[in-house]
C-alpha cells in the first residue's frame, strides 16, 4: 500500500534468513533499502526473523501482492535486476496493448467483443484487486464487450503508465492516487483520459457508462401502416408506379417497405416516391389515395399489399 508520510509500504512474511535495517532488497520489479521494520503490534524493530509478519518501509516503488522479497549484496545489483524486470514488464504490456487498425477491423467483422482498455493505479493492492474483480464481473455478464486491464498496480500514476495509455488508447483509473508533475504534463499534452476516484462504486458506474457507448444500438421496427395497390401505371423516365389506397395507419416517403403478394413477402426495400395527385408528399394517411414507387424494384401488380415501417435505434446500457 501507499501511505501519506510513509511512502510505499509492503507487508511481508519472512520465510528464511533475517531482514535487517539497511538491507538492500528487490520485490518484483521494485527495489529499496530497509528504512524501517514494524512488527504486528505496530512497534519498530531492527530485524525480522522467519515466521514473522512485518511492514517494510523504504521501497522506491510499489510491488504487487505475491511478489517475493530478496535481500541482495549491493545497490548496483538491485538496480540491474529491477531494470531488467521493468523492461520485460513494459515489453509484455506493449504486446498486450497493441492492436493494429487491420486487427481491430478484422475483429469487428468477425463479431468479436468490443474492448475497453484500462490501466488501474491505487493506494492499496486490495482496492486495485477489488476494482479488477468488479470489472471482470461486468465483462462476464455481457457477451459483446470486454474490459482489458493492461496494467494494474499500487502507487501514483507514472510517466510509463501515461506512455502505455497513449500507445493503447487506454483509460487510466486513479483510486486514491494522483499523477506526478511529469505525468500531468504528458497527460495534458497527449490528451489522455484519466479519471480519479475514492469510491469503488463510482468507478464501476463510470465504466458501465463508457461500455454502454461501445454496445451496438438495438434496432427496433415501428409499424406505420398498409396500402393496397389498386392500379399500376407505367410512367416514362420514372418506371412503374402503384396507384394505392392506404388501408391502415399511414405511409411515409423514405421509410422501409415490404411488398406482400398473397400474404408472402416478395420484396423488401425503400419507398422512392410518394405522390398525391401530381405532388410529391412526405406522408399519406389512412383512407387516402396515393402513388407509390420502390427503389430499384418494379415487379408490382394490382392486389399487392405494401407494408410500411420505420427502424429506430435505441441506446443500450450495461447492467
Amino acid at each position: 500500500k501507499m501511505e501519506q508520510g510513509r511512502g510505499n509500504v509492503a507487508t511481508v512474511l519472512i520465510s528464511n534468513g533475517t531482514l535487517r535495517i539497511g538491507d538492500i532488497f528487490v520485490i518484483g520489479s521494485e527495489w529499496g533499502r530497509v528504512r524501517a521494520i514494524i512488527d504486528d503490534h505496530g512497534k519498530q524493530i531492527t530485524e525480522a526473523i522467519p515466521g514473522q509478519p512485518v511492514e517494510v518501509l523504504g521501497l522506491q516503488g510499489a510491488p504487487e501482492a505475491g511478489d517475493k522479497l530478496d535481500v541482495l549484496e549491493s545497490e548496483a545489483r538491485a538496480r540491474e535486476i529491477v531494470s531488467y524486470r521493468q523492461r520485460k514488464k513494459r515489453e509484455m504490456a506493449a504486446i498486450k496493448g497493441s492492436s493494429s487498425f487491420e486487427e481491430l477491423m478484422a475483429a469487428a467483422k468477425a463479431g468479436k467483443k468490443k474492448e475497453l482498455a484500462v490501466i488501474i493505479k491505487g493506494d492499496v493492492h486490495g482496492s486495485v484487486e477489488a476494482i479488477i474483480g468488479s470489472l471482470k464481473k461486468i465483462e462476464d455478464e455481457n457477451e459483446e464487450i470486454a474490459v482489458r486491464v493492461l496494467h494494474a498496480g499500487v502507487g501514483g500514476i507514472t510517466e510509463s503508465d501515461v506512455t502505455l495509455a497513449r500507445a493503447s488508447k487506454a483509460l487510466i483509473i486513479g483510486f486514491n492516487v494522483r499523477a506526478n508533475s511529469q505525468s500531468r504534463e504528458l497527460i495534458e499534452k497527449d490528451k489522455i483520459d484519466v479519471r480519479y476516484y475514492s469510491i469503488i462504486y463510482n468507478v464501476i458506474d463510470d465504466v458501465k457508462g463508457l461500455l454502454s457507448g461501445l454496445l451496438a444500438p438495438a434496432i427496433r421496427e415501428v409499424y406505420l401502416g398498409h396500402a393496397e395497390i389498386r392500379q399500376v401505371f407505367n410512367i416514362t423516365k420514372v418506371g412503374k408506379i402503384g396507384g394505392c389506397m392506404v388501408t391502415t395507419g399511414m405511409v411515409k416517403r423514405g421509410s422501409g417497405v415490404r411488398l406482400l403478394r398473397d400474404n408472402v413477402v416478395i420484396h423488401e426495400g425503400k419507398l422512392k416516391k410518394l405522390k398525391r395527385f401530381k405532388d410529391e408528399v412526405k406522408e399519406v394517411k389512412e383512407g387516402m389515395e396515393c402513388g407509390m414507387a420502390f427503389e430499384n424494384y418494379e415487379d408490382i401488380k394490382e392486389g399487392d399489399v405494401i407494408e410500411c415501417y420505420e427502424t429506430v435505434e435505441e441506446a443500450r446500457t450495461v447492467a
Side-chain angles (χ1 to χ4, degrees):
K1 60 186 175 182
M2 189 177 180
E3 287 189 9
Q4 193 171 2
R6 299 209 298 169
N8 294 298
V9 181
T11 302
V12 301
L13 178 65
I14 308 302
S15 58
N16 59 67
T18 304
L19 183 69
R20 298 180 176 89
I21 298 289
D23 279 347
I24 293 165
F25 62 90
V26 294
I27 308 182
S29 56
E30 302 295 342
W31 76 280
R33 185 188 294 270
V34 179
R35 182 160 50 87
I37 304 173
I38 298 158
D39 67 13
D40 53 347
H41 299 293
K43 183 182 174 182
Q44 285 208 30
I45 55 177
T46 56
E47 60 179 39
I49 59 174
Q52 193 171 9
V54 293
E55 284 187 334
V56 178
L57 279 64
L59 278 156
Q60 299 295 314
E64 295 180 14
D67 285 345
K68 186 181 176 185
L69 182 150
D70 289 303
V71 173
L72 300 173
E73 67 280 1
S74 68
E75 184 178 316
R77 180 60 178 154
R79 287 179 182 274
E80 182 186 344
I81 292 170
V82 165
S83 176
Y84 171 79
R85 289 180 179 178
Q86 287 181 347
R87 187 171 69 252
K88 285 295 179 184
K89 196 174 180 180
R90 283 195 298 270
E91 287 172 3
M92 290 303 295
I95 292 167
K96 192 178 178 184
S98 63
S99 292
S100 68
F101 178 73
E102 289 77 12
E103 287 171 335
L104 291 172
M105 289 298 291
K109 285 180 181 177
K112 289 185 179 178
K113 289 185 174 186
K114 293 181 180 178
E115 290 185 332
L116 174 67
V118 296
I119 294 164
I120 304 167
K121 298 301 288 285
D123 59 337
V124 180
H125 190 78
S127 298
V128 173
E129 287 296 309
I131 292 169
I132 293 171
S134 297
L135 298 182
K136 185 72 173 68
K137 187 178 178 184
I138 294 173
E139 181 180 345
D140 292 342
E141 292 172 352
N142 294 271
E143 293 181 355
E144 295 177 45
I145 53 178
V147 183
R148 187 162 47 134
V149 179
L150 301 182
H151 172 64
V154 176
I157 296 165
T158 64
E159 292 169 83
S160 61
D161 295 328
V162 179
T163 303
L164 177 58
R166 180 182 60 200
S168 54
K169 295 181 173 58
L171 163 71
I172 298 178
I173 294 171
F175 190 80
N176 285 331
V177 296
R178 294 293 183 268
N180 59 35
S181 56
Q182 295 91 337
S183 299
R184 285 197 298 270
E185 288 176 13
L186 277 177
I187 287 164
E188 192 172 333
K189 178 186 170 186
D190 298 328
K191 295 180 171 54
I192 304 299
D193 191 358
V194 180
R195 306 192 182 197
Y196 298 114
Y197 303 91
S198 57
I199 300 171
I200 290 179
Y201 298 115
N202 292 344
V203 179
I204 306 312
D205 287 344
D206 260 19
V207 170
K208 282 182 177 180
L210 289 168
L211 290 171
S212 294
L214 294 178
L215 285 174
I219 307 297
R220 183 168 60 88
E221 189 176 294
V222 179
Y223 169 77
L224 294 176
H226 276 93
E228 185 182 327
I229 299 177
R230 300 283 173 89
Q231 201 170 353
V232 177
F233 302 96
N234 205 337
I235 311 260
T236 309
K237 295 183 180 179
V238 176
K240 287 185 178 181
I241 289 184
C244 306
M245 170 68 74
V246 181
T247 53
T248 56
M250 62 183 295
V251 292
K252 272 180 151 181
R253 188 174 72 232
S255 63
V257 285
R258 295 187 182 95
L259 184 66
L260 282 70
R261 187 170 296 164
D262 298 324
N263 293 315
V264 176
V265 177
I266 61 169
H267 174 72
E268 188 167 350
K270 289 278 187 184
L271 198 57
K272 179 175 69 173
K273 287 189 176 293
L274 182 62
K275 288 178 172 280
R276 277 279 295 160
F277 303 108
K278 292 184 178 181
D279 299 324
E280 284 275 354
V281 291
K282 288 184 178 179
E283 61 182 48
V284 180
K285 295 183 179 177
E286 185 177 333
M288 300 175 73
E289 295 181 336
C290 61
M292 300 171 72
F294 293 96
E295 281 186 3
N296 306 315
Y297 189 80
E298 292 192 350
D299 181 21
I300 57 175
K301 296 181 180 179
E302 291 180 18
D304 287 349
V305 172
I306 297 168
E307 180 182 82
C308 193
Y309 64 93
E310 283 182 327
T311 53
V312 178
E313 289 189 356
E314 294 180 337
R316 294 161 62 200
T317 57
V318 174

